[in-house]
Amino acid sequence: MTDASMDAAGAPDAPKKSSLMKTDEHTKKRNRSETWFRAYGLAAIATGLFFLIVLAVSIVSNGLPAFTHTVVDVEINMTQDQYDDAESQLLKTSAYEKVFIAAMGAQLAAGGLELEVDKKVLQRIAGKTGSILREFYKENPDKIGTPVSFTLPAASRVDQYLNGALKREDVQDSRFLERADLDIVDQLHEAGIIKSAFNWTFIQGTDSGVDNPGGAGIGASVIGSFFMMLVVLFLSLPIGVAASIYLEEFAPQNRFTDLIEVNISNLAAVPSIVFGILGLAVFIQFMHLPQSAPLVGGLVLTLMTLPTIIISTRASLKAVPPSIRDAALGVGASKMQSVFHHVLPLAMPGILTGTIIGLAQALGETAPLLLIGMVGFVARGYPDGFVNGFIEPNSAMPAQIYTWAARADVSFYDKAWGGIIILLVFLLTMNTIAIILRRRFERRW
Amino acid sequence: MDDLRLTERDVTSQDAKIAAKNVQVYYGDTHAIKDVSVEIKDKTVTAFIGPSGCGKSTFLRCLNRMNDTIDICRVEGDIRIDGEDIYDKRIDPVQLRAKVGMVFQKPNPFPKSIYDNIAYGPRIHGLAKNKADLDVIVEKSLRRGAIWDEVKDRLNAPGTGLSGGQQQRLCIARAIATEPEVLLMDEPCSALDPIATAQVEELIDELRENYSVVIVTHSMQQAARVSQKTAFFHLGNLVEYGETGQIFTNPSDPRTESYITGRIG
Ligand SMILES: Nc1ncnc2c1ncn2[C@@H]1O[C@H](COP(=O)(O)OP(=O)(O)O)[C@@H](O)[C@H]1O
Ligand SMILES: [Mg+2]
């Protein structure tokens, strides 16, 4: 048979002679279409890159101001008399504010600044100093009578003015800030009394009231997200992987398993808000789990993440060559041994990548959290203790960002952008871990 | 236990290791093996030949119940190894496969070290009490697989990094590490070059001393070189079965003759 075909090839009809030096029409056409395709590809990538850069630049430029804030340095020596006096007053914080203003005035005079500064102006510039001072002295009564240097946050409008978000022309005279105040701000800024500093409050703090954008921080909701992701990880990874292994390796192929398969694919496409309302109905209204709790958020996000994990795990199990299973069965391994000793290790990089991508999706998910109440003023405090972290009302990063973006005071807008940067940092970290794990597991062979 | 089996074997058939009677195999509606009966002798190399798609692999995979892993596959009839019905409900296919080893068409070493490739079977069957025992088994198997000299200095290197011929000999060594009594080989040389093929064939000839070897091959020269018995399959039927010399020189069925002389296939 092979001989026959060789004969046929050996005695062909003499073909027309054509030079290889000349490209024929057909080849030219193929080359042209390839060139076009390459051009399309490049254009697509360039467009993608362009939008990515625009996104990154706008996030960074809008978000960075949230990480710095304007502070006022002042040294205060609170005497016992002043303290008692302030505590006996009706408006205690304003009494403390007076102490602050007096100290500021003294400091300006000592610094040789020839400023005719009105008390009211200092009050407007310095923001909510009274409550901070009062809290400090209530907690540290031993500091009464000794000089203490304070670094107090300036009013948020001063902050915006100094970082360029608020233009002098746009300032409307109001009880918060008058245009004339800005001259004094400039002078204080030059003298180094008002300066920019890294805003630890934003990283560590909790959500603040609507009138205090300067005090708002994302820390508590980072913790909320953390506990939520713990729930998601410890539920969805084992359940998802076990379900996939069963479906892929053990389950018989029949109508029933086909139905399950179709349903899992459908679940992956269900909008997240549907899971949210399901969580509200089942976990909160029916099972009476606490509202706004990271536990409930985690449960809802687990439901959402499971299909993703199952689909990617099954895909990576499918990608393991069947010859490996045959090899294991052939030396007398049981089905389970063949799966756990040989198939699973090979599928591991894919499983981990899928899981981390699923978790990253869950981390950025907002809609279901709105429905179970992890939004609003719930991130006002840190949970006390590990167990309470799961059940105490808290927010999560994306929900906190949503809350800030929805507030009337534009100063919260900066915070929302800053929160997005933090969220993206976490997401990028997770993706990097996914890549590293993938490399680590693949490099073995 | 062993004694019992010996007497039983004496009663059923003199030296038939495997006795298949009226075996039918279906893939869904496809009738892939049609009423095949064959007796495979101990310490003999038996070759299955025939055009591709005639059911050689299917029948081979019945002998260690690898067909169980294919959902749509249905096996009927009676297959006995040492007189025991391997499709009996009490038989655990996992235990059976430890006794009936298999080498596949495409070399399929585990993506683990050469050492672990060999040691895996003995480990899961508890054949070695300690590391020293295991070392002995690994060395013995690699020597019998005729690959020891080539890999003894790199037992920790991945098995997948060997050449195709070495990989196949590694797979053979892996199959004999569990001390099987029967070795099934499905076209073990189809992916190998002539030199590697010659090495594997030599190895098969040596294995005959201890095992009953069944080899599927599409090369009639190979069947003639290594086997003592040959079975010719055609369209799911076992057409002819007998001494290799007789099949190749004096076939009794015209289909066998056509195939051997190159008119079928
Ligand atoms: N997994 C399977 N599913 C369905 N049909 C199969 C399967 N494996 C083999 N067959 C069919 O069974 C017949 C015999 O195949 P096989 O035993 O592989 O032939 P050979 O090994 O002799 O080339 C062929 O017709 C083939 O199409
Ligand atoms: Mg075959």
Side-chain angles (χ1 to χ4, degrees):
Chain A
M1 195 188 79
T2 41
D3 284 359
S5 57
M6 291 246 303
D7 280 349
D13 297 343
K16 276 182 292 174
K17 282 235 176 81
S18 70
S19 165
L20 280 177
M21 302 298 284
K22 226 175 67 202
T23 324
D24 64 15
E25 265 315 303
H26 186 61
T27 313
K28 268 187 197 152
K29 206 171 146 197
R30 282 188 299 181
N31 289 351
R32 258 199 313 278
S33 64
E34 184 170 327
T35 312
W36 271 113
F37 183 76
R38 280 167 189 263
Y40 286 141
L42 274 177
I45 288 177
T47 318
L49 264 183
F50 171 74
F51 282 116
L52 185 69
I53 289 169
V54 168
L55 189 74
V57 167
S58 69
I59 287 175
V60 169
S61 64
N62 281 305
L64 278 187
F67 291 91
T68 57
H69 63 167
T70 308
V71 291
V72 183
D73 274 339
V74 65
E75 196 178 272
I76 292 177
N77 188 353
M78 175 81 90
T79 61
Q80 188 67 42
D81 284 346
Q82 276 172 316
Y83 180 74
D84 294 339
D85 181 45
E87 283 298 316
S88 67
Q89 304 235 344
L90 200 58
L91 290 169
K92 299 185 179 65
T93 51
S94 76
Y96 282 94
E97 242 162 59
K98 283 194 190 103
V99 175
F100 164 76
I101 288 163
M104 268 302 272
Q107 191 170 333
L108 292 182
L113 273 173
E114 304 291 323
L115 277 180
E116 276 303 308
V117 182
D118 189 16
K119 290 199 302 191
K120 282 260 183 331
V121 177
L122 275 182
Q123 214 167 352
R124 285 196 292 263
I125 293 175
K128 308 190 148 304
T129 51
S131 55
I132 297 174
L133 290 178
R134 177 163 184 240
E135 223 162 88
F136 176 82
Y137 282 112
K138 286 194 93 168
E139 266 170 37
N140 307 292
D142 52 313
K143 287 287 193 316
I144 293 170
T146 54
V148 184
S149 338
F150 285 95
T151 302
L152 301 168
S156 60
R157 278 176 180 67
V158 173
D159 196 32
Q160 286 172 339
Y161 169 68
L162 286 177
N163 68 34
L166 186 67
K167 297 273 177 303
R168 181 182 280 260
E169 309 84 80
D170 300 337
V171 175
Q172 308 272 341
D173 288 355
S174 71
R175 72 187 170 91
F176 298 117
L177 192 67
E178 286 174 14
R179 198 174 289 181
D181 299 348
L182 297 178
D183 299 329
I184 297 168
V185 170
D186 284 342
Q187 276 167 311
L188 290 176
H189 188 53
E190 253 161 55
I193 293 170
I194 289 185
K195 61 187 184 193
S196 210
F198 189 78
N199 189 355
W200 283 108
T201 318
F202 180 65
I203 307 275
Q204 302 169 332
T206 60
D207 194 11
S208 62
V210 282
D211 54 344
N212 181 20
I218 200 164
S221 40
V222 170
I223 299 293
S225 278
F226 170 76
F227 281 107
M228 226 165 59
M229 294 326 288
L230 272 190
V231 175
V232 178
L233 178 67
F234 283 100
L235 288 179
S236 65
L237 184 62
I239 296 177
V241 172
S244 326
I245 291 178
Y246 179 75
L247 283 174
E248 195 57 43
E249 303 285 340
F250 292 93
Q253 279 285 345
N254 55 31
R255 287 263 176 91
F256 183 64
T257 45
D258 283 351
L259 192 74
I260 290 181
E261 210 173 322
V262 170
N263 275 310
I264 289 173
S265 311
N266 283 341
L267 275 182
V270 167
S272 56
I273 196 142
V274 177
F275 287 105
I277 206 154
L278 185 84
L280 177 65
V282 175
F283 297 128
I284 294 178
Q285 287 166 358
F286 177 70
M287 290 167 68
H288 297 292
L289 293 175
Q291 214 174 342
S292 310
L295 173 66
V296 178
L299 289 173
V300 170
L301 293 180
T302 300
L303 294 181
M304 226 194 71
T305 314
L306 267 177
T308 314
I309 294 188
I310 292 180
I311 289 173
S312 68
T313 303
R314 290 189 68 181
S316 23
L317 289 173
K318 261 203 196 89
V320 175
S323 62
I324 295 295
R325 295 177 180 85
D326 284 347
L329 296 179
V331 295
S334 67
K335 184 93 203 176
M336 180 139 165
Q337 285 171 327
S338 113
V339 170
F340 281 87
H341 295 167
H342 301 288
V343 179
L344 206 52
L346 287 177
M348 218 42 170
I351 294 177
L352 288 176
T353 314
T355 304
I356 292 180
I357 287 173
L359 289 181
Q361 257 177 20
L363 181 67
E365 197 54 67
T366 322
L369 306 184
L370 305 186
L371 287 180
I372 56 166
M374 292 187 72
V375 75
F377 293 104
V378 285
R380 290 302 273 280
Y382 275 90
D384 46 349
F386 187 74
V387 176
N388 286 337
F390 291 105
I391 50 178
E392 273 180 15
N394 202 338
S395 191
M397 280 186 274
Q400 182 67 70
I401 291 166
Y402 170 80
T403 311
W404 284 337
R407 281 188 188 158
D409 190 335
V410 286
S411 309
F412 278 110
Y413 206 57
D414 281 351
K415 305 288 170 191
W417 280 102
I420 283 172
I421 290 187
I422 303 242
L423 183 62
L424 285 181
V425 166
F426 277 99
L427 291 178
L428 287 181
T429 312
M430 286 171 76
N431 286 350
T432 312
I433 292 174
I435 291 169
I436 291 174
L437 284 178
R438 176 164 214 131
R439 292 261 165 83
R440 162 87 36 101
F441 276 93
E442 272 177 352
R443 207 186 294 150
R444 279 167 57 196
W445 300 110
Chain B
M1 179 70 201
D2 267 2
D3 293 15
L4 242 174
R5 211 157 60 194
L6 271 175
T7 47
E8 202 175 85
R9 194 194 299 182
D10 283 342
V11 175
T12 46
S13 61
Q14 285 69 33
D15 55 352
K17 185 75 184 170
I18 304 172
K21 270 204 202 79
N22 309 108
V23 175
Q24 321 278 349
V25 181
Y26 303 86
Y27 289 109
D29 295 330
T30 319
H31 198 171
I33 292 289
K34 297 165 191 160
D35 205 31
V36 168
S37 298
V38 69
E39 280 197 353
I40 290 164
K41 289 195 167 4
D42 202 4
K43 305 211 191 310
T44 318
V45 178
T46 306
F48 289 178
I49 59 170
S52 67
C54 67
K56 308 177 296 285
S57 301
T58 301
F59 187 69
L60 192 75
R61 290 162 60 89
C62 290
L63 303 182
N64 67 345
R65 291 185 59 174
M66 278 300 270
N67 282 333
D68 291 14
T69 60
I70 299 171
D71 277 339
I72 55 166
C73 186
R74 209 169 77 245
V75 179
E76 287 170 9
D78 180 85
I79 302 176
R80 288 174 185 274
I81 293 184
D82 293 336
E84 293 173 331
D85 180 3
I86 61 169
Y87 281 87
D88 191 287
K89 272 201 283 297
R90 285 167 297 175
I91 297 267
D92 187 336
V94 171
Q95 224 172 322
L96 169 72
R97 289 185 202 124
K99 186 162 154 172
V100 183
M102 186 155 197
V103 176
F104 298 83
Q105 181 167 358
K106 217 179 110 232
N108 55 356
F110 298 128
K112 295 176 186 291
S113 69
I114 292 172
Y115 184 95
D116 285 336
N117 261 280
I118 306 294
Y120 181 69
R123 259 192 208 129
I124 58 172
H125 296 300
L127 298 185
K129 280 186 217 63
N130 50 40
K131 177 87 168 72
D133 271 7
L134 202 57
D135 288 347
V136 171
I137 292 177
V138 168
E139 180 172 344
K140 197 174 80 183
S141 308
L142 286 171
R143 276 188 195 284
R144 279 158 83 191
I147 192 182
W148 171 252
D149 289 331
E150 287 153 77
V151 300
K152 63 177 183 232
D153 300 323
R154 47 172 170 153
L155 290 177
N156 288 319
T160 41
L162 298 171
S163 76
Q166 288 174 324
Q167 286 190 12
Q168 193 62 301
R169 276 178 287 147
L170 179 68
C171 291
I172 295 174
R174 178 178 68 190
I176 55 189
T178 51
E179 303 282 344
E181 295 168 26
V182 179
L183 197 56
L184 309 177
M185 299 178 147
D186 192 350
E187 304 196 20
C189 300
S190 65
L192 306 188
D193 61 74
I195 293 172
T197 301
Q199 283 166 327
V200 171
E201 282 176 5
E202 206 173 304
L203 172 60
I204 292 170
D205 202 48
E206 282 165 25
L207 293 177
R208 179 160 62 97
E209 283 177 24
N210 300 297
Y211 306 95
S212 158
V213 179
V214 184
I215 177 172
V216 170
T217 173
H218 59 240
S219 150
M220 280 166 292
Q221 289 87 337
Q222 183 170 60
R225 279 195 302 264
V226 299
S227 71
Q228 288 79 51
K229 297 279 247 176
T230 297
F232 171 63
F233 285 79
H234 187 236
L235 299 175
N237 297 301
L238 176 62
V239 174
E240 196 167 346
Y241 177 53
E243 298 293 327
T244 299
Q246 186 242 319
I247 295 261
F248 278 91
T249 53
N250 189 16
S252 56
D253 194 289
R255 285 172 292 178
T256 317
E257 194 186 347
S258 313
Y259 181 69
I260 287 168
T261 53
R263 266 174 286 152
I264 307 182

